[in-house]
Amino acid sequence: MGCAMNRIRQWKKLLLPYEQAVEELKVKFKAIRKEYRDMSEYSPIEFVTGRVKKISSIIEKSHRNGINEERIEEEMEDIAGIRIMCQFQDDIYSVVKIIRERDGRDLQIVYEKDYIHNKKDSGYKSYHMIIKYPVQTAYGEREILAEIQIRTLAMNFWATIEHSLNYKYKEKMPENIKLRLRASAEAAARLDDEMCEIRNEIIKAQLLFEEKSNIIRDIVDSIRMLQSTGKQDVAMAFQDDFDEIVNSNDQEALERLLNRIKDELPTYQLFSNDSNK
Ligand code: 0O2
Ligand code: 0O2
């Protein structure tokens, strides 16, 4: 009993820094996406997920790959896993560039695997980066290994389904299912190529939407700010103007309104004076 409790504590102690690393890395990559979106710019990151490998999968993988239990931390590279999804294949390389620029700063790249240009026999396509990441723990700094997988939405759809079938059949996947999966991987790749063809059109539409929602956010914030500075009547008048045009498709009218409100805000004058210096 005591021995079993000890094992559980050992696993917990081993996995805690990985849990922290996954949380930190998720926050960092989500922040990149938010920054682009808030600036009405295109984000190569669509969404981010992360997980710590399950104890049962760690044990199974260590047996499969002949990793000694004492060497798990040095030799198992994906106990901490981050997955970054992109809309288009080109975005994957933009994300790779962003991560490379951080090499030697908050993370260290150990090596990279390009399964986009060299897809696996299964049909699997993703870009993998193995990194070293320092975590500050109650017991001091721990440097852990983590795997970042970067893929498109279509590749993610395929890989998620294929992974669950692999889990079911292990090494004994029936030949006809294997063939179908390979064919659907090709269909996913064709979908990515098609989307790439109309990439600019899609991005333009998305940016337009993002820009409009950012302007509306700024108008609402500014009217609230006007109210809090005591200019109730002016704020009410702007609110009426806003209600009139908010459902129209007239982005220029929204921008003009925002500028008129900004002119009434003393803080904005302060900012514009600063930027003129
Ligand atoms: P937001 O505002 O939706 O971006 P978590 O701990 O929840 O942050 P976890 O557990 O690693 O993350 O992964 P989870 O819960 O599977 O999904 C993480 C984020 O990815 C969630 O958003 C999901 O909404 C988002 N997500 C999952 N699948 C898709 C998808 O197919 N398309 C899109 N666009 N997003 C998806 P957040 O981070 O909670 O917040
Ligand atoms: P999880 O947590 O279940 O996703 P190995 O895993 O030993 O074959 P290696 O060198 O450790 O090989 O890593 P590799 O093959 O570069 O990438 C490992 C991870 O990539 C896998 O983790 C999967 O998440 C993903 N992956 C690789 N090949 C495929 C594939 O053919 N189909 C799918 N769906 N995913 C793949 P694990 O180990 O499966 O763990």
Side-chain angles (χ1 to χ4, degrees), residues 8 31 34 115 139 142 148 223 241-242 244 249-250 261:
I8 293 168
K34 186 173 181 312
Y115 295 130
Y139 309 94
R142 286 268 311 274
I148 306 175
I223 291 179
D241 291 350
F242 176 61
E244 222 165 273
N249 247 342
D250 194 346
I261 307 173

Side-chain angles (χ1 to χ4, degrees), residues 36-264:
Y36 280 120
R37 297 245 162 131
D38 283 355
M39 299 305 291
S40 303
E41 282 174 34
Y42 177 73
S43 165
I45 296 176
E46 181 60 19
F47 69 95
V48 182
T49 65
R51 61 101 185 93
V52 174
K53 212 176 182 72
K54 290 194 183 74
I55 296 174
S56 57
S57 305
I58 298 177
I59 295 172
E60 188 262 324
K61 190 166 181 170
S62 63
H63 288 165
R64 177 158 42 92
N65 293 1
I67 300 173
N68 190 305
E69 243 185 65
E70 262 75 63
R71 304 263 322 147
I72 282 177
E73 285 167 275
E74 289 83 12
E75 292 183 27
M76 200 171 292
E77 296 157 340
D78 65 342
I79 296 179
I82 293 291
R83 199 169 274 166
I84 299 175
M85 264 54 70
C86 308
Q87 296 195 83
F88 306 102
Q89 193 161 303
D90 291 352
D91 297 341
I92 293 176
Y93 294 95
S94 306
V95 176
V96 170
K97 192 164 163 268
I98 291 173
I99 298 173
R100 282 191 191 143
E101 273 161 13
R102 289 165 80 145
D103 190 17
R105 293 173 194 270
D106 61 333
L107 53 84
Q108 197 187 323
I109 298 170
V110 182
Y111 71 97
E112 303 177 15
K113 287 189 265 191
D114 186 349
Y115 295 130
I116 307 281
H117 285 107
N118 310 298
K119 69 170 179 207
K120 287 196 154 190
D121 288 343
S122 59
Y124 179 77
K125 288 175 99 181
S126 279
Y127 198 99
H128 291 192
M129 298 177 100
I130 308 297
I131 60 162
K132 268 192 193 154
Y133 186 77
V135 182
Q136 309 307 322
T137 76
Y139 309 94
E141 183 173 293
R142 286 268 311 274
E143 196 161 49
I144 58 118
L145 286 169
E147 180 185 72
I148 306 175
Q149 299 181 343
I150 313 160
R151 47 171 77 153
T152 63
L153 296 171
M155 291 170 193
N156 188 47
F157 173 49
W158 179 89
T160 305
I161 288 169
E162 197 261 2
H163 192 273
S164 56
L165 286 173
N166 257 328
Y167 181 78
K168 177 176 176 204
Y169 290 113
K170 303 272 184 255
E171 262 83 65
K172 299 186 201 74
M173 173 116 56
E175 207 51 41
N176 68 322
I177 295 188
K178 249 192 221 168
L179 284 175
R180 287 200 165 210
L181 281 171
R182 266 194 220 122
S184 45
E186 277 161 30
R190 275 201 305 280
L191 178 60
D192 274 336
D193 289 344
E194 282 294 321
M195 290 299 174
C196 203
E197 295 282 321
I198 50 167
R199 183 179 194 270
N200 289 342
E201 204 49 45
I202 299 171
I203 291 179
K204 245 192 274 166
Q206 290 172 343
L207 284 183
L208 216 64
F209 175 77
E210 201 70 37
E211 222 167 49
K212 188 176 167 195
S213 46
N214 284 349
I215 294 172
I216 290 177
R217 178 202 58 200
D218 288 349
I219 291 177
V220 172
D221 284 352
S222 310
I223 291 179
R224 222 179 275 145
M225 227 188 284
L226 262 184
Q227 274 171 335
S228 68
T229 56
K231 294 187 172 180
Q232 298 289 350
D233 293 348
V234 192
M236 290 267 277
F238 281 136
Q239 182 68 49
D240 288 343
D241 291 350
F242 176 61
D243 289 342
E244 222 165 273
I245 56 171
V246 65
N247 286 325
S248 73
N249 247 342
D250 194 346
Q251 188 161 321
E252 278 175 16
L254 284 167
E255 271 174 68
R256 277 197 303 274
L257 175 63
L258 178 60
N259 285 331
R260 278 172 47 220
I261 307 173
K262 276 181 182 175
D263 285 342
E264 290 293 327

